Amino acid sequence: RLPGKMMFPLASNHVIEHVIRRVTAADSVDKVVVATSTGRSDDIIEQYASTAGADVFRGSETDVLGRMYDAVAVYDPSVVVRIAGDRPLVPPACIEAVVDQLRETDVDYAANVLERTFPYGFEAEAFTFESFEAVEAASTKPEQREHVTPYYRSNPQEFTRANVTSATVFDDPALQDRTDLRLTLDEASDYELLKTVYDNVPFDGILPVADAIAYIDEV
């Protein structure tokens, strides 16, 4: 694990700033909220997230589900999009795809993780606030509150769900079925790869994932 990883530098910005920028670029997202803890070590998260244009909600460090629910309840949206903060290459197209799938199929939960076809680090989830209220109420065990959305996946009989595949998002075969790639930030080796990509792939604003994967495939 990497303590403080949200503030690790990638090119000229921190990880949290890249994530906010990429989520903001999704047309279906009206408001970006960073849900962090009340711990003093996360004061810097609030500072930089606010500077990057996101709202900030601070809650329990251990009850991650409760923190997320309380943050969402402030805005009372019809649809919630969840992106983990350690996804500095999450494609806005993945966010758009799960939101479109949720709305077009009228399900409770849509994601690109029910059947994995994307690189690790491209995870995007969308769900109705109504169903999220049910998840929050039903998650009574400590292990159910350490994360936000496992209840949707472990209780399929309670929700309607839909999966988004890489072939529906990307036309390029080089971007399809790339579960061999690990582009999340959880270990030191993850950071070294992401730093190398951000240092060597030219970009303006948002680094294109097609260019990132092409670079990785070449080196």
Side-chain angles (χ1 to χ4, degrees):
R1 309 292 292 185
L2 290 174
K5 61 185 177 181
M6 301 310 303
M7 297 308 302
F8 282 18
L10 291 173
S12 58
N13 293 104
H14 302 95
V15 168
I16 186 64
E17 295 171 290
H18 286 293
V19 177
I20 292 170
R21 186 178 296 168
R22 300 180 78 87
V23 176
T24 302
D27 291 338
S28 59
V29 174
D30 297 318
K31 176 73 68 175
V32 178
V33 183
V34 172
T36 191
S37 84
T38 55
R40 290 188 61 186
S41 61
D42 286 331
D43 289 352
I44 194 168
I45 298 292
E46 179 174 16
Q47 176 185 338
Y48 277 88
S50 298
T51 301
D55 286 4
V56 178
F57 179 90
R58 301 188 69 168
S60 172
E61 186 170 8
T62 56
D63 182 7
V64 181
L65 171 58
R67 183 205 313 167
M68 174 81 172
Y69 177 78
D70 290 343
V72 169
V74 171
Y75 299 89
D76 191 26
S78 58
V79 173
V80 182
V81 172
R82 177 183 178 254
I83 304 296
D86 51 5
R87 305 292 192 264
L89 280 176
V90 62
C94 284
I95 300 172
E96 289 295 318
V98 297
V99 173
D100 288 346
Q101 183 80 313
L102 185 85
R103 289 173 170 162
E104 291 171 4
T105 59
D106 196 28
V107 294
D108 299 316
Y109 173 86
N112 61 1
V113 296
L114 295 176
E115 175 188 350
R116 282 193 175 272
T117 57
F118 291 90
Y120 289 82
F122 283 18
E123 295 85 352
E125 302 168 283
F127 40 90
T128 64
F129 183 43
E130 182 179 5
S131 70
F132 192 42
E133 288 181 306
V135 166
E136 203 282 333
S139 299
T140 57
K141 300 176 182 178
E143 61 269 21
Q144 293 174 326
R145 306 195 69 85
E146 292 175 356
H147 303 283
V148 178
T149 55
Y151 194 89
Y152 283 107
R153 299 188 291 279
S154 59
N155 296 275
Q157 72 283 357
E158 297 183 27
F159 305 100
T160 53
R161 310 182 310 170
N163 190 63
V164 172
T165 66
S166 56
T168 65
V169 177
F170 301 125
D171 295 328
D172 186 349
L175 304 180
Q176 298 174 4
D177 299 314
R178 293 306 304 269
T179 56
D180 59 305
L181 294 176
R182 181 177 171 85
L183 300 175
T184 185
L185 179 57
D186 200 42
E187 302 173 359
S189 57
D190 298 333
Y191 178 63
E192 291 305 316
L193 175 60
L194 290 166
K195 185 176 185 302
T196 299
V197 169
Y198 267 93
D199 285 346
N200 290 279
V201 178
F203 69 98
D204 181 17
I206 293 177
L207 195 154
V209 294
D211 294 350
I213 292 177
Y215 174 78
I216 292 170
D217 285 345
E218 289 174 2
V219 297

